[in-house]
């Protein structure tokens, strides 16, 4: 499911793309957006992962797969800064917001050469990246299990924000088009931010944050505490473009 070794930029990009695909698939599956036929099954330790696949009988899931593939293109070019996805009601009110933030590290991780000539990359392979990836997915699944059901009349949207200093003005990845709508989001209720975690490989940094209604947080916070899962919770509104500390 996830690469066992990350020692090159290509392996790092593969890990980040798979984490993104698994995370988006988790959200759509646990929120009941598409039928079972739209997913394949993979296992990560004791986690049963449902991964979106191209299901020609479900146009909605086909569109999400197309968007994910478009984001892959922007990731490979190191253009995309944030992927935001949210279910909108018929009144265009946001009920939940999922943000995936990306940073690209230019420096190459330092190599340690040990006595038997094997090479290990500090902080770019092994337990650190593996544990961070697993913890991120577990926390996301735990959150999805404790959120109440979505309204019946929702539409899922996906939006990409780019690093403007490197992204060509006319660039649009496959499946996306220029968004002429206002950037402001009308949230349904009092928004609360949850920082789900981050994964750093030495080449890429990916952070995941979920925003939901404050009134829905009591059961979630209780469950997270019981599971000893240290999800950070902040009551600061959407602040989509804030620069978080490393």
């Amino acid at each position: 499911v996830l690469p066992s070794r990350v020692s090159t930029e290509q392996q790092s990009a593969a890990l980040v793309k798979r984490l993104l695909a698994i995370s988006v698939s988790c959200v759509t599956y646990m929120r009941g957006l598409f039928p079972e036929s739209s997913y394949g099954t993979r296992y990560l330790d004791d986690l049963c992962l449902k991964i979106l696949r191209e299901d020609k009988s479900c146009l909605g899931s086909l569109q999400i797969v197309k968007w994910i593939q478009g984001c892959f293109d922007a990731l490979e070019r190191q253009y995309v800064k944030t992927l935001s996805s949210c279910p909108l009601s018929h009144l265009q009110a946001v009920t939940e917001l999922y943000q995936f933030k990306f940073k690209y590290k230019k420096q190459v991780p330092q190599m340690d050469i040990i006595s038997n000539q094997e090479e290990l990359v500090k902080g770019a392979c092994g337990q650190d990246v593996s544990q961070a990836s697993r913890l991120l997915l577990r926390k996301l699944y735990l959150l999805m299990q404790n959120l109440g059901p979505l309204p019946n009349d929702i539409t899922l949207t996906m939006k990409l924000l780019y690093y403007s200093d490197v992204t060509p003005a006319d660039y649009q990845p496959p499946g996306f088009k220029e968004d002429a709508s206002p950037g402001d989001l009308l949230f349904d209720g009092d928004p609360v931010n949850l920082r789900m975690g981050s994964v750093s490989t030495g080449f890429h940094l990916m952070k995941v944050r979920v925003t939901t209604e404050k009134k829905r947080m009591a059961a979630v916070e209780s469950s997270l505490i019981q599971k000893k899962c240290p999800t950070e919770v902040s009551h600061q509104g959407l602040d989509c473009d804030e620069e978080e500390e490393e």
Side-chain angles (χ1 to χ4, degrees):
V1 176
L2 296 174
S4 58
R5 179 181 175 85
V6 177
S7 57
T8 68
E9 187 173 349
Q10 290 74 22
Q11 291 170 345
S12 175
L15 171 68
V16 171
K17 288 191 287 186
R18 290 187 187 183
L19 269 178
L20 175 63
I22 293 170
S23 299
V24 174
S25 297
C26 163
V27 171
T28 62
Y29 183 80
M30 300 297 286
R31 308 310 282 133
L33 298 184
F34 304 121
E36 189 77 26
S37 60
S38 296
Y39 299 88
T41 302
R42 297 290 186 273
Y43 290 92
L44 181 64
D45 299 333
D46 59 338
L47 270 183
C48 177
L49 304 175
K50 295 293 184 176
I51 313 297
L52 273 169
R53 61 186 180 186
E54 292 182 307
D55 178 13
K56 295 182 179 179
S57 66
C58 181
L59 296 180
S61 65
L62 277 177
Q63 181 62 64
I64 300 299
V65 170
K66 188 175 182 180
W67 281 342
I68 293 174
Q69 292 171 342
C71 188
F72 286 175
D73 183 85
L75 272 168
E76 289 172 357
R77 299 172 188 268
Q78 299 192 354
Y79 290 166
V80 63
K81 179 180 182 180
T82 305
L83 182 153
S84 298
S85 183
C86 58
L88 295 175
S89 70
H90 69 289
L91 299 176
Q92 296 299 295
V94 179
T95 55
E96 295 168 1
L97 175 66
Y98 301 90
Q99 289 184 300
F100 302 86
K101 297 191 174 187
F102 306 97
K103 290 185 179 180
Y104 310 95
K105 301 186 177 183
K106 301 302 181 183
Q107 70 273 21
V108 178
Q110 182 179 353
M111 304 288 284
D112 275 358
I113 302 178
I114 57 180
S115 58
N116 61 0
Q117 304 302 311
E118 290 182 1
E119 294 182 341
L120 300 176
V121 181
K122 279 187 175 180
C125 68
Q127 292 298 94
D128 290 343
V129 172
S130 178
Q131 288 180 354
S133 301
R134 284 165 166 77
L135 179 60
L136 173 61
L137 293 175
R138 288 182 184 278
K139 289 163 73 174
L140 193 57
Y141 264 80
L142 179 60
L143 175 64
M144 295 297 101
Q145 289 171 351
N146 285 277
L147 286 179
L150 289 169
N152 292 325
D153 57 343
I154 62 100
T155 302
L156 190 68
T157 67
M158 193 173 287
K159 183 175 182 178
L160 300 181
L161 299 178
Y162 305 107
Y163 285 100
S164 57
D165 57 332
V166 296
T167 306
D170 60 348
Y171 172 75
Q172 293 296 341
F176 288 85
K177 61 182 179 180
E178 186 173 357
D179 182 15
S181 64
D184 296 337
L185 296 173
L186 174 62
F187 208 89
D188 185 14
D190 186 13
V192 176
N193 288 326
L194 295 91
R195 294 190 178 101
M196 304 305 296
S198 63
V199 176
S200 178
T201 68
F203 297 97
H204 296 81
L205 172 66
M206 173 176 152
K207 296 182 179 180
V208 182
R209 184 168 62 184
V210 179
T211 307
T212 186
E213 297 174 76
K214 182 177 180 180
K215 65 182 181 181
R216 306 170 72 192
M217 284 303 301
V220 174
E221 288 179 312
S222 174
S223 177
L224 290 173
I225 291 171
Q226 289 174 6
K227 298 279 187 179
K228 296 182 180 180
C229 195
T231 300
E232 298 178 49
V233 179
S234 60
H235 300 258
Q236 299 174 347
L238 295 180
D239 56 7
C240 296
D241 296 321
E242 74 166 341
E243 286 298 325
E244 299 165 345
E245 294 182 357
E246 292 293 329

